[in-house]
Amino acid sequence: MDVNQVLEGTLSPDATIRQNAEQQLTQAANVDFPGYVSTLAHELANEQAQPHIRTAAGIALKNAFSSREFQRLREVQEKWLRQVDLDVKRNVKQLALRTLASNDTRAGQSAAQFIASIAAIEVPREQWPELMPSLVQNVTEGASHLKQASLTTIGFICESEDSDLRDSLAQHSNAILTAVVQGARKEEPEADVRHAAISALGDSLEFVKANFENEGERNYIMQVICEATQSDDVRVQQGAFGCLNRIMAIYYDKMQFYMEKALFGLTIMGMKSDEEDVAKLAVEFWSTVCEEELNIEDDNVQAQTEGGADVRPLFNFARVATPEVVPVLLQLLTRQDEDATDDEYNISRAAYQCLQLYAQAVGSQLIPPVLGFVELNLRNESWRNRDAAVSAFGAIMDGPDDAVLLPLVRQALPVLMSMISDSSPQVQDSAAYALGRICESVTEAIEPATTLAPLIGSLFAGLSNNPKMASSCCWALMNVVERFSEPGAQMTPLSPHFQDSVSHLLQATERNDADGPLRTAAYEVLYSLVTYSATDVLPLVADLSNVILRRLDSTVGMQNQIVSVEDRFTLEEIQTSLTSVLLAIIQRLEREIQPQADRIMQTLLSMLHSLGPKSSVPEIIFTTIGALANVIEKDFAPYMEAFAPFFYAALGNQDDPALCSVATGLVSDITRSMGEFAQPYCDAPHKARRRGGRKLWAREGFIVLTETEGQSTTLNNQLKPAILQCFGDIAQAIGGHFEMYLTVVAQVLQQAATVMAASAGGSSDMSLYVLSLREGIMDAWGGIVNAMRSSEKPDTLRPYVESIFQLLHSIWEDGGRVDALMRASMGVLGDLAEAFPNGDYAQYYQAEWVTLLVKEVRSNRENAPRTIDTARWAREQVKRQLATIQSSQHL
């Protein structure tokens, strides 16, 4: 292999050449990993090589030691540890360190990334003790480009997400600080070096806690950072304010002295900077202050509630600084970018977010300066000032006392509603958003008799006039709907407005200029309107179902008109939104949806027929079908024959975990709804039917598919517990008919129990998975035991009683006392006792751990009342079992 030619190929704009080159590199790495790494390291360090070849070598090296998947990353790291001998490792690392001194900046950058990858492997294992001293020496004695590359390396090491590396960096804090502070000093003449140093310092702050405890070291670090905020280089200023943000978040308790002496003034100056990126970071400093002080208040309240003495110091930096900081924030609100996209973060949005946090942190203290600003600018000729005034008022809705806000908001509501029609689209949008904030946080200000109708009217007027403000208007409308919702009410204040609201929303979705966000937002409001509708408007909800079904029917024909990926995305977005509204209608009408059931299923099945294999729409369709099955119960049976092919395909589709998860939940919905009528669909495969020589489908059956998934080694762990729970739901639905599946299902449950016990290890994620899996197993056994007992077939359970108690004993020994698992365990314990009331297995109940487990669950006040009640019932069943032993001994 000509390494130069292959590396050059990896940079080719021709996809075929590039892919071939990447495949050759992958093959070389698989065949001879040590030789592969060594060759690339030599090429990266080769000063005679062309710059782009060195860059390609660096990229290949980085890719050889990185992966987004944790398991794959560990495999790659193990290759370095086990397959590469010490001499090769030493040579490769020396080449990488030597490359840091290259005049080719890109090569130095690539070397820095590669060194960080090796550091993640070797530093935690103390296999590269000379690395940090070498980097420090480079910074103190090297040329400028070597200093910069070495500091960049330290930054890459410190920002690594590798948990083992991060845990080990604290012991290297002295070396790290020596290097980064040396480079960040104002005496450093090279701006690039200083920038690299201040960036690395920001990445390292988490690991230098011991140094921050030392007042002398802390003072020097803070001095260097504060001086960097005054640098002539904007990048250095940004890095310095970024450091201050992180320091405030990590070391708040050490900041009182520095706030008084320097930080207060420096950050105010920074907020006023003409450089927007600097100003944003200075504003974010005060956002961090507010967030930290809010967290401290919450922590202290919790500590006092729990009777703890661990109360954190609260210096009220935000409250003290209000007179100086807030006026600057208010002025920054006027620096809007009228061309900014919705997700673009600029100085005015940074100031708005900070003002929101300030309101939460200092409460009513913020009202006077904000009100003064609002009154001064609300009628200003400049749209920027009007927009800033409206935004400022909306920003303080969460924090001040309601008693103070309420009269102000009631007075302001008519003005804000009128500003929905302002000449400026930006002001219109801000007014709508401010109204949404009021509807969310100061709901008492909206009076049904006087305010509600004009408020709804103004929001719909805004929705009709300006699509750009759609999301704000719809968000406000959703808050209005939730504000006046009264579950089960015969009538609500929204009832008189229901029909007009539905009409406006439907019109908004059909506007010629309606884009995706507008349609989606409008349908979301419609979903909420239906969900929270009162009884008196249910006939209108039923009428709405006809409109939604007509629109869904029309989307099926649109499949043939798709010419691009964008077209498909738009259509699926519309179908998802419409189906969501249909779901809300079904759930709200409940049994009253029965007359529409035929048409609903016809429409949904037509959609399933027309959708492609990668579509996301089936998820919401399945959820909607599940809702229909829940409300019409046994009357769902006639639709199963047509729905089954899609259902079975989704259950067996392990390549689409989301769809498989929804289908798994649907098993429970359908079996509970249909009861014994679901039994034919539990059977293993019928022969495939054919039409015109084309196989239509082969029915697998719930049991076969859930059994396969339960045993799968590739299925998402989060899905397996739900699959196991399905067995219990199926058993309770079909009762004694479950006997024919019991043997195979029991094997799956027993296998899950043994596998989980052997694979927990020390991983917290795996431990949580084991707990959820055990809950699934216990839920399954609970349903099965109940089904066999109620159908008078308890003897079918005898082969499995011992394994059930073995699992219960493991739950007792392993300790994970999760509420749901404990409730399921108590249920199974009691159900088995009822299944064998004559004491056939009383010896199991005689074990001391059984009594202790029941007592512990019953006496744990953190458990839900339902769980405690189940444990009390289980205790009575245990007593009865023990009584059978005493009775037999007496005889």
Side-chain angles (χ1 to χ4, degrees), residues 252-256 293 296 313-320:
Y252 174 92
D253 61 320
K254 301 284 192 299
M255 288 297 106
Q256 187 174 26
E293 294 191 336
I296 291 171
L314 178 62
F315 302 121
N316 288 310
F317 294 141
R319 191 173 297 278
V320 172

Side-chain angles (χ1 to χ4, degrees), residues 3 42 47 83 109 116 128 148 163 271 290 363 386 393 416 501 528 555 587 621 630 635 668 670 734 741 766 860:
V3 66
H42 276 94
E47 292 292 339
Q83 296 183 20
Q109 179 92 356
W128 200 355
Q148 181 184 350
S163 57
M271 291 165 65
C290 293
R386 296 198 306 277
F393 190 77
L416 288 173
S501 297
S528 296
T555 66
Q587 292 173 329
I621 293 177
N630 279 329
D635 289 332
S668 298
I670 288 179
I734 66 175
Y741 314 116
M766 181 59 76
N860 186 350

Side-chain angles (χ1 to χ4, degrees), residues 152-163:
T152 300
T153 304
I154 293 173
F156 284 147
I157 292 172
C158 291
E159 74 177 12
S160 170
E161 295 181 0
D162 189 287
S163 57

Side-chain angles (χ1 to χ4, degrees), residues 685-736:
H686 288 185
K687 290 184 178 180
R689 298 193 302 178
R690 293 182 178 274
R691 180 179 298 162
R694 174 172 167 259
K695 180 191 286 189
L696 295 180
W697 51 277
R699 188 160 77 190
E700 296 291 346
F702 297 156
I703 294 295
V704 173
L705 286 164
T706 48
E707 173 209 345
T708 302
E709 292 170 354
Q711 294 175 315
S712 171
T713 58
T714 60
L715 196 64
N716 189 315
N717 282 351
Q718 293 180 349
L719 193 52
K720 287 186 179 181
I723 292 169
L724 298 179
Q725 287 172 338
C726 283
F727 291 130
D729 293 329
I730 294 171
Q732 293 203 79
I734 66 175

